[in-house]
């Protein structure tokens, strides 16, 4: 079959503590726990379905100019109703603390839920030893905590001190203080290379890079230049017996086909099954699905 025939739409309809209430006119209205936020969403080209008074219920509105490509956001939050500095959002059996952070983010990307559920299923199938998970560009740690809850030994890598501190707060909020999570403040590329040299292997590798980023020592991350060598290293880090990989890419102009073909190349000698396409979040009334990210999944 030609790879284009394989592109898929992987959707979440939200969960008890998260809903995409509406979208349109370049915005999205969402509920994270008890807090409703109105944020820019350039891909919401259609008209909102809910009336203005419903949008006006938002606790906070992010506005101002933004550039999805460079993540240079000059906008700011306008707070219309009291919002705690951070508040809990229950995600399956972990707790994520959400915040109104700069760059309009909340500390949680709910569109990733289908991958996290798939990851938990894959980890459950490894019975011979505790599964090892490598989470690169791991941010506030949702995947790390869900994997730890599923019994995995987790290596969590992020270049931002702030993100690691936030992920540790989420660990404490989830009562996973004793879980075997290695917190690595490091450049994802350097770390992966070092692990290859050490002969380390993992049953699950998660890669969720931004378009541009910086390692802790200013190492440049430019997706179109550095993704291919990183994925070659990730392929070397996969357990030879049983392994799986998830690559997700957001906020860039590209096709899922590009990442599908890269992963097929770096994993050519492994066989296995691939699936690639887009992640989307379905609106609470089921009307439309808002595109959120591109992905490739592989399992041996
Ligand atoms: C927004 S995120 C990924 C989202 C996350 N995986 C999730 O679903 O919750 C991108 C992360 O990459 C990190 N980052 C950027 N450049 C990096 C680099 N060179 N090495 C490691 N992490 C980097 C950022 O600090 C940020 O936390």
């Amino acid at each position: 079959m030609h790879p284009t025939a394989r592109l898929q739409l992987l959707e979440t309809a939200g969960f008890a503590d998260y809903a995409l209430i509406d979208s349109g006119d370049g915005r999205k209205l969402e509920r994270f726990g008890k807090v409703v936020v109105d944020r820019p969403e350039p891909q919401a080209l259609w008209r909102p379905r809910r009336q203005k008074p419903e949008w006006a219920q938002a606790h906070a509105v992010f506005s101002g100019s933004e550039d999805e490509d460079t993540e240079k956001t000059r906008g700011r939050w306008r707070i219309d109703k009291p919002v705690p500095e951070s508040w809990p959002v229950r995600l399956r059996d972990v707790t994520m603390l959400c915040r109104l952070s700069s760059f309009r983010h909340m500390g949680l990307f709910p569109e990733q839920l289908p991958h996290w559920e798939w990851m938990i299923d894959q980890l459950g199938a490894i019975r011979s030893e505790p599964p090892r998970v490598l989470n690169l560009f791991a941010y506030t740690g949702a995947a790390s905590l869900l994997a730890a809850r599923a019994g995995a030994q987790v290596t969590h890598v992020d270049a931002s001190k702030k993100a690691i501190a936030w992920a540790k707060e989420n660990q404490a909020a989830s009562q996973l203080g004793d879980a075997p999570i290695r917190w690595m403040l490091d450049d994802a590329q350097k770390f992966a290379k070092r692990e290859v040299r050490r002969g380390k292997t993992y049953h699950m590798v998660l890669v969720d890079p931004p378009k541009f980023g910086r390692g802790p020592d200013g190492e440049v991350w430019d997706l179109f230049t550095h993704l291919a060598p990183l994925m070659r290293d990730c392929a070397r880090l996969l357990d030879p017996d049983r392994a799986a990989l998830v690559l997700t890419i957001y906020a860039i102009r590209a096709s899922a086909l590009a990442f599908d073909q890269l992963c097929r190349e770096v994993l050519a000698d492994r066989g296995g099954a691939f699936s690639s396409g887009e992640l989307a979040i379905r609106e609470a009334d089921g009307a439309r699905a808002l595109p959120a990210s591109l992905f490739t999944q592989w399992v041996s």
Side-chain angles (χ1 to χ4, degrees):
M1 202 202 291
H2 192 274
T4 44
R6 294 195 185 96
L7 294 183
Q8 282 187 10
L9 191 59
L10 207 53
E11 286 184 16
T12 178
F15 43 94
D17 264 2
Y18 172 80
L20 173 60
I21 302 166
D22 195 15
S23 60
D25 287 349
R27 319 255 340 151
K28 58 185 170 187
L29 185 68
E30 300 162 287
R31 184 177 56 75
F32 287 82
K34 292 192 167 68
V35 177
V36 175
V37 289
D38 169 351
R39 295 190 287 166
E41 178 48 73
Q43 295 201 81
L45 298 171
W46 42 84
R47 289 209 172 98
R49 287 161 59 91
R50 309 282 179 122
Q51 302 299 311
K52 283 207 169 111
E54 199 162 340
W55 282 74
Q57 309 246 313
H59 293 71
V61 179
F62 193 90
S63 56
S65 66
E66 65 157 322
D67 181 344
E68 282 273 337
D69 264 7
T70 58
E71 291 241 342
K72 269 188 199 136
T73 308
R74 307 220 170 276
R76 63 161 71 133
W77 288 102
R78 188 189 76 220
I79 314 284
D80 289 344
K81 292 179 190 169
V83 180
E85 205 266 313
S86 74
W87 69 96
V89 168
R90 195 74 185 153
L91 169 69
R92 287 181 62 116
D93 44 9
V94 306
T95 297
M96 301 295 292
L97 298 171
C98 284
R99 290 195 169 93
L100 303 179
S101 81
S102 46
F103 298 130
R104 82 205 169 276
H105 295 315
M106 311 293 301
L108 176 63
F109 291 94
E111 65 269 20
Q112 298 276 352
L113 182 63
H115 285 323
W116 296 332
E117 290 177 333
W118 185 78
M119 168 187 78
I120 291 163
D121 287 349
Q122 300 304 319
L123 297 177
I126 296 160
R127 299 192 190 283
S128 50
E129 55 187 325
R132 295 180 298 279
V133 172
L134 175 61
N135 189 8
L136 295 176
F137 306 95
Y139 189 46
T140 52
S144 300
L145 298 176
L146 290 167
R149 180 71 82 206
Q153 296 175 346
V154 180
T155 303
H156 171 115
V157 184
D158 200 282
S160 151
K161 246 188 206 160
K162 228 169 138 181
I164 299 239
W166 192 345
K168 287 183 176 170
E169 283 180 51
N170 290 333
Q171 178 188 27
S174 302
Q175 263 125 38
L176 277 167
D178 297 332
I181 305 177
R182 271 204 298 166
W183 301 104
M184 306 302 304
L185 177 69
D186 209 340
D187 176 58
Q189 310 163 83
K190 270 194 183 166
F191 184 81
K193 268 202 187 330
R194 221 178 302 128
E195 291 290 87
V196 169
R197 276 201 303 273
R198 292 175 183 141
K200 292 279 174 64
T201 61
Y202 294 88
H203 299 102
M204 171 71 59
V205 175
L206 306 167
V207 190
D208 187 16
K211 183 175 184 193
F212 294 113
R214 290 268 178 192
D217 294 324
E219 300 91 340
V220 174
W221 167 262
D222 176 349
L223 188 134
F224 285 107
T225 308
H226 300 118
L227 182 66
L230 175 66
M231 294 312 291
R232 286 187 193 109
D233 283 336
C234 288
R236 291 182 197 114
L237 290 175
L238 294 166
D239 185 272
D241 290 332
R242 183 167 184 122
L245 175 139
V246 180
L247 168 65
T248 41
I249 309 278
Y250 64 98
I252 62 163
R253 289 185 201 96
S255 161
L257 191 55
F259 306 111
D260 182 90
Q261 287 165 179
L262 171 64
C263 290
R264 283 172 195 273
E265 181 186 280
V266 303
L267 293 161
D269 58 346
R270 289 293 304 259
F274 292 86
S275 134
S276 296
E278 294 195 13
L279 296 181
I281 304 181
R282 185 139 299 270
E283 289 176 357
D285 66 3
R288 290 175 298 221
L290 185 65
S293 179
L294 307 177
F295 78 92
T296 294
Q297 277 180 346
W298 168 84
V299 62
S300 61

